[in-house]
Amino acid sequence: MADAVTRVVIADDHPVFRRGLKALLDGEDGISVVGDAADGQEAVRVVLDLAPDVVVMDLHMPVMGGVEAAKQIQAALPDVGVLVLTMHEDDELVFAAMKAGARGYLVKTTDDDEIVRAVQAIGAGEAIFSATIAQRMMGYFTAISSSKAVLFPQLTDRERDVLELMASGMDNTSIAHRLNLSGKTVRNRVSAIFTKLQVADRAQAIVRAREAGLGSPS
């Protein structure tokens, strides 16, 4: 609808910042600030009372922090979009906020126009993150996706395949059939794995593999 209004609650423990953000957002067509809160517990109460479209929230607030407040808001009203607006951008806080259900994360040095666009976007059901936060997210997930590729780098690719099948519970005969190898070749690779991982037997190798995330019990 062309005349739809995005209803916003602001949660921040600094009254001057709350007033400034209210003046910024209320001055935009299609946005209405319907409430505010000075701590996380009050934010939860206000949001549950008013059911806004978006809550713009700091993370470090008294009584209850923004991460816990976001978690409680999302559990009760999952359609409310949480936009984190904070001075802090360390990885731990970013991903804690994401796990709590935040759809956006901006730092307070962000330009006014970008803050307005973020509120509008989240009100429309989108997710939005500042460029620096997006880069941190990409780096984090790239590190996760590449970590498996370097598991047990002392092993060859084929030895790693054998180890993963061992960790899934296969014996040498089954591994030979799966990988189209001879029994002797599999035995040789298993021996090489023991040596390179510095383990005494198959059971220890399987424990090491499963601890690293390879294989699963069949």
Side-chain angles (χ1 to χ4, degrees), residues 7-180:
R7 301 170 66 252
V8 177
V9 164
I10 298 169
D12 195 289
D13 60 332
H14 295 286
V16 173
F17 184 81
R18 288 201 310 275
R19 287 195 295 270
L21 188 57
K22 183 179 188 301
L24 169 67
L25 296 177
D26 261 344
E28 294 294 325
D29 290 338
I31 297 178
S32 175
V33 177
V34 296
D36 64 86
D39 62 64
Q41 189 173 80
E42 185 182 11
V44 173
R45 179 183 59 76
V46 171
V47 170
L48 295 186
D49 284 346
L50 300 177
D53 302 297
V54 178
V55 53
V56 183
M57 185 156 53
D58 196 2
L59 290 181
H60 288 291
M61 293 184 291
V63 186
M64 178 188 295
V67 170
E68 179 59 28
K71 192 181 303 181
Q72 293 190 19
I73 289 167
Q74 287 295 288
L77 295 172
D79 289 338
V80 175
V82 176
L83 171 62
V84 171
L85 184 59
T86 185
M87 289 300 297
H88 308 277
E89 54 178 329
D90 57 277
D91 292 350
E92 184 176 349
L93 280 175
V94 172
F95 294 109
M98 289 177 61
K99 286 180 65 177
R103 295 187 202 164
Y105 197 115
L106 301 177
V107 292
K108 288 182 177 179
T109 53
T110 301
D111 291 341
D112 288 354
D113 289 346
E114 189 174 347
I115 294 173
V116 171
R117 285 195 298 270
V119 170
Q120 293 168 334
I122 290 176
E126 301 173 23
I128 190 163
F129 298 87
S130 68
T132 56
I133 296 301
Q135 287 173 358
R136 286 171 180 268
M137 291 166 60
M138 287 294 291
Y140 177 80
F141 290 116
T142 298
I144 288 179
S145 64
S146 63
S147 63
K148 286 190 176 180
V150 296
L151 286 175
F152 306 116
Q154 67 270 47
L155 302 182
T156 66
D157 290 342
R158 207 50 159 168
E159 288 166 352
R160 198 175 295 110
D161 292 339
V162 170
L163 178 61
E164 183 155 18
L165 294 177
M166 287 170 54
S168 71
M170 286 190 180
D171 59 20
N172 285 2
T173 301
S174 299
I175 293 171
H177 287 154
R178 173 68 67 86
L179 299 179
N180 196 27

Side-chain angles (χ1 to χ4, degrees), residues 151-152 163 167 199 203-217:
L151 286 175
F152 306 116
L163 178 61
V199 296
Q204 290 183 11
I206 289 173
V207 169
R208 287 281 306 277
R210 288 181 181 171
E211 287 177 345
L214 288 178
S216 60

